[in-house]
Amino acid sequence: MLIFALILASILNNRQLRFKGLFRTMIFLPCATSLVAYAVIFRSLFANNGIVNLVLTNLGILDQPYSFLTHTWSARIVIIIALLWRWTGYNMVFYLAGLQNIEYSVYEAAKIDGASAIQSFFKITVPLLKPTILLTAIMSTNGTLQLFDESVNLTDGGPANASITMSHYIYNMSFKYAPNFGYAAAMSFLILILVAFLAFLQMKVGDKRD
């Protein structure tokens, strides 16, 4: 999510690009979609009689419809694709906001000195956006550890709990199976510790300010 968001933000920050506002809105628009609604949409897209199977069979890539949501790795990949579609635009907005604070003359000077677009990206954009990248990394880590809607509505944790998340498992232990609130509370506390530890680690590794 963060890599795609950073690349898209760099492209859409180009002053010479036309219809920037339209492209930014289109990429950010999935964030306005309900979590349950978009998960149901992806579930229907990758169903046996969904559009994805229809296109792949018509193109001759598949001989027969493939059950994406009942196989371990394909179910996980579907969740990853859904997350990319939903959250890339959200992170892109943070990077665009950070890029607005970078003087465009810096890029123009680099271009005059012979720097390519890729060199400008790695030597100017990434270093100057490090605080924003650190922020989005912590937020994304926190959100991933608390991932729930996609696991419940896309695959229901299947097949055989292959795509279940920590939050989904806590929910099952609390409300779906025989209630074990003490165990569920302990796992919730563990997630809190993991989030705090990873945030602290990312701050130490990523923040090099004096």
Side-chain angles (χ1 to χ4, degrees):
M1 290 184 297
L2 302 185
I3 293 174
F4 286 148
L6 187 55
I7 293 173
L8 288 171
S10 299
I11 294 173
L12 295 178
N13 191 52
N14 190 342
R15 290 185 176 182
Q16 299 176 350
L17 182 66
R18 300 178 62 186
F19 307 113
K20 289 186 296 185
L22 176 62
F23 293 137
R24 291 174 181 177
T25 303
M26 290 174 61
I27 297 173
F28 180 76
L29 196 59
C31 299
T33 308
S34 167
L35 290 172
V36 175
Y38 102 93
V40 172
I41 290 172
F42 271 85
R43 184 181 181 91
S44 64
L45 287 174
F46 287 91
N48 289 349
N49 58 346
I51 295 176
V52 175
N53 269 313
L54 179 63
V55 171
L56 293 178
T57 51
N58 287 339
L59 292 176
I61 298 176
L62 296 177
D63 296 328
Q64 58 184 3
Y66 182 78
S67 183
F68 289 97
L69 300 177
T70 59
H71 291 82
T72 301
W73 284 104
S74 59
R76 293 171 179 170
I77 290 172
V78 170
I79 292 178
I80 292 172
I81 293 173
L83 290 172
L84 287 173
W85 181 83
R86 178 66 167 75
W87 295 108
T88 297
Y90 178 81
N91 291 295
M92 182 195 72
V93 171
F94 286 94
Y95 295 143
L96 276 173
L99 287 170
Q100 302 303 311
N101 294 322
I102 301 176
E103 291 291 337
Y104 201 74
S105 58
V106 177
Y107 292 98
E108 293 176 340
K111 188 176 181 180
I112 293 173
D113 290 338
S116 64
I118 296 177
Q119 289 175 323
S120 296
F121 177 79
F122 285 104
K123 299 296 184 180
I124 299 175
T125 302
V126 174
L128 292 179
L129 280 182
K130 181 177 280 188
T132 308
I133 294 173
L134 179 63
L135 170 67
T136 54
I138 293 174
M139 292 172 57
S140 297
T141 302
N142 186 15
T144 302
L145 288 173
Q146 299 182 59
L147 195 65
F148 178 76
D149 296 86
E150 292 79 1
S151 174
V152 172
N153 296 296
L154 267 172
T155 61
D156 197 23
N161 288 335
S163 62
I164 196 170
T165 62
M166 296 178 69
S167 296
H168 189 182
Y169 183 61
I170 292 172
Y171 171 82
N172 288 344
M173 294 302 298
S174 299
F175 305 107
K176 189 172 182 179
Y177 306 137
N180 191 343
F181 295 112
Y183 182 49
M187 287 190 292
S188 301
F189 188 70
L190 176 62
I191 291 179
L192 173 64
I193 295 176
L194 283 174
V195 170
F197 173 74
L198 290 174
F200 175 78
L201 185 63
Q202 289 169 331
M203 287 290 293
K204 285 296 183 182
V205 173
D207 194 356
K208 300 297 183 181
R209 289 174 296 179
D210 296 328

